[in-house]
């Protein structure tokens, strides 16, 4: 298997594009780093892997410089799952679990037992004007007829249909060794002579080319997605189609935590709260939920943190 690669492709002569991603050692590294804080239950690890794969596939399909953040907010034992993917295709992920889970827990059982779960997709530009807010779209975890959506793939397909008016087919799979996904999407029609006859929403569900290719994609099993090479998968599914593939793109695990970001977070909490922590412990300890990196701040560092720079004592002279 070609590890940690995202493969983009198009179907010659028809308005359909696709992407296939398979993560191996970078996915294992993400789980290993997060296990420093505490290991998640198996179904949560699967969901996190699917969200990372989905985030990479969605990031690859848009022209955007910044971070795509995929979030599931739940009303069950899993309160939050987050996957962040940068335009460089680096990723990180975490979750908040507050209750016990069965090893075979479904998406509904984990995050939506009372029907109030939500999926949010945020686009946060790398360079944002002062005061500007990131774009965010939110959908519930049920379909148009209020039927529950049983998988992350169904939720995101529903989101793309509602927000972008684009037919999309997603196949996602993950375990402790591999996180992978396949995306097939009908491309918007441009340059039509009579726009009234070719409005994109008029084509939803009625594009024969996309429907044929989506049916082929739906025959892909989770086992095949997790074990076969990308070339084998694409040949198995689309050997009768005219497929043009592009050079694969690497994906890495990377966290953006830093001492400066943690200091900013602590300053936001306020001096009183931080000093209260210091009365109970000798140091303030902060652990990154995404990568397990630990940060320690003693009383001297906390004092400097809340002292204006002009009032801080000068550094002692050094010997020449």
């Amino acid at each position: 298997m070609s590890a940690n690669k995202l493969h983009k492709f198009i179907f010659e002569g028809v308005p359909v594009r696709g992407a296939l991603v398979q993560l191996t050692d970078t996915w294992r590294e993400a789980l290993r780093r997060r296990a420093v804080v505490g290991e998640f239950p198996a179904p949560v690890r699967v969901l996190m892997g699917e969200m990372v794969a989905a985030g990479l596939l969605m990031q690859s399909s848009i022209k955007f410089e910044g971070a795509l953040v995929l979030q599931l907010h739940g009303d069950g034992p899993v309160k939050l799952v987050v996957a962040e993917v940068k335009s460089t295709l680096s990723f990180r992920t975490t979750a908040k679990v507050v209750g016990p889970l069965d090893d075979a827990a479904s998406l509904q059982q984990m995050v939506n037992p009372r029907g109030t779960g939500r999926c949010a997709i945020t686009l946060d530009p790398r360079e944002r004007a002062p005061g500007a807010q990131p774009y965010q779209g939110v959908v519930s975890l049920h379909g148009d007829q209020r039927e529950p959506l049983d998988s992350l793939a169904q939720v995101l397909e529903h989101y793309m249909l509602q927000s972008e008016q684009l037919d999309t087919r997603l196949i996602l799979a993950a375990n402790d060794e591999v996180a992978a996904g396949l995306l097939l999407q009908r491309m918007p029609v441009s340059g039509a002579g009579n726009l009234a006859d070719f409005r994109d929403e008029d084509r939803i569900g009625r594009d024969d080319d996309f429907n044929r290719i989506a049916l082929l994609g739906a025959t892909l099993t989770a086992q095949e997605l997790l074990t076969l090479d990308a070339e084998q998968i694409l040949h198995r599914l689309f050997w009768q189609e005219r497929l043009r593939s592009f050079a694969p793109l690497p994906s890495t695990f990377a966290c953006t935590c830093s001492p400066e970001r943690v200091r900013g977070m602590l300053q936001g909490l306020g001096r009183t709260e931080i000093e209260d922590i210091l009365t109970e412990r000798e140091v303030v300890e902060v652990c990154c939920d995404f990568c397990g990196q630990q940060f320690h701040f003693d009383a001297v560092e906390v004092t400097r943190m809340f002292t204006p720079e002009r009032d801080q004592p000068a550094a002692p002279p050094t010997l020449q």
Side-chain angles (χ1 to χ4, degrees):
M1 178 180 293
S2 54
N4 315 312
K5 300 288 186 180
L6 186 141
H7 304 258
K8 298 175 68 174
F9 52 92
I10 60 173
F11 293 84
E12 298 276 13
V14 297
V16 181
R17 62 188 173 193
L20 172 67
V21 65
Q22 294 174 313
L23 305 176
T24 53
D25 53 323
T26 58
W27 172 236
R28 293 193 291 270
E29 171 69 4
L31 290 180
R32 185 190 67 79
R33 292 285 295 273
R34 184 51 183 78
V36 173
V37 185
E39 190 170 77
F40 291 117
V44 177
R45 299 197 300 272
V46 169
L47 181 56
M48 290 167 62
E50 290 182 351
M51 287 183 66
V52 167
L56 285 163
L57 293 169
M58 296 176 73
Q59 176 71 270
S60 74
S61 68
I62 57 178
K63 294 180 179 179
F64 173 73
E65 293 292 326
L68 183 150
V69 183
L70 183 59
Q71 296 174 291
L72 285 176
H73 301 269
D75 57 28
V78 179
K79 291 299 182 185
L80 177 69
V81 188
V82 181
E84 179 185 78
V85 179
K86 299 293 186 66
S87 47
T88 57
L89 300 185
S90 65
F91 70 89
R92 61 179 188 165
T93 182
T94 190
K96 182 178 181 181
V97 182
V98 298
L101 282 173
D102 185 83
D103 286 344
S106 66
L107 177 69
Q108 289 295 314
Q109 292 168 332
M110 285 190 285
V111 301
N112 198 37
R114 296 194 268 294
T116 63
R118 294 289 183 271
C119 175
I121 298 175
T122 304
L123 298 180
D124 191 3
R126 179 180 298 169
E127 297 182 6
R128 190 166 8 122
Q133 297 297 315
Y135 166 80
Q136 185 176 77
V138 181
V139 293
S140 61
L141 303 186
H142 57 72
D144 292 333
Q145 306 302 319
R146 304 297 298 179
E147 76 280 4
L149 299 174
D150 296 326
S151 69
L152 176 66
Q154 289 181 354
V155 171
L156 295 177
E157 289 173 357
H158 185 61
Y159 171 88
M160 295 304 297
L161 200 59
Q162 280 195 333
S163 65
E164 305 298 332
Q165 287 78 53
L166 286 178
D167 292 309
T168 303
R169 176 58 55 90
L170 271 169
I171 295 92
L172 303 170
N175 55 29
D176 286 351
E177 301 297 321
V178 185
L182 171 70
L183 176 143
L184 302 168
Q185 192 168 70
R186 180 177 56 81
M187 298 168 63
V189 175
S190 60
N194 185 344
L195 294 181
D197 293 335
F198 292 93
R199 289 180 303 171
D200 209 53
E201 57 265 31
D202 291 340
R203 295 173 62 92
I204 293 175
R206 291 189 251 174
D207 190 301
D208 291 339
D209 291 319
F210 173 80
N211 290 338
R212 181 187 72 257
I213 291 170
L215 285 173
L216 293 173
T219 66
L220 180 65
T221 67
Q223 182 68 13
E224 290 173 323
L225 186 54
L226 294 173
T227 58
L228 298 181
D229 286 337
E231 294 77 9
Q232 291 176 297
I233 291 173
L234 296 181
H235 178 74
R236 211 273 288 161
L237 295 176
F238 308 122
W239 64 275
Q240 288 183 307
E241 304 291 332
R242 291 188 298 156
L243 202 67
R244 192 199 328 168
S245 299
F246 302 94
L249 302 171
S251 177
T252 60
F253 167 75
C255 191
T256 57
C257 67
S258 67
E260 292 73 23
R261 287 174 176 263
V262 175
R263 287 191 190 96
M265 181 271 292
L266 294 176
Q267 288 170 331
L269 292 176
R271 184 167 191 164
T272 301
E273 184 167 345
I274 301 306
E275 289 182 342
D276 285 345
I277 296 175
L278 281 173
T279 61
E280 300 175 5
R281 311 172 188 175
E282 293 184 357
V283 296
V284 177
E285 298 178 341
V286 178
C287 185
C288 176
D289 281 338
F290 288 93
C291 71
Q293 177 72 34
Q294 294 189 349
F295 301 89
H296 304 274
F297 302 90
D298 60 19
V300 174
E301 291 174 299
V302 169
T303 298
R304 291 182 64 88
M305 193 184 304
F306 290 98
T307 302
E309 188 173 339
R310 65 179 182 276
D311 296 332
Q312 293 184 12
T318 59
L319 295 176
Q320 300 297 321

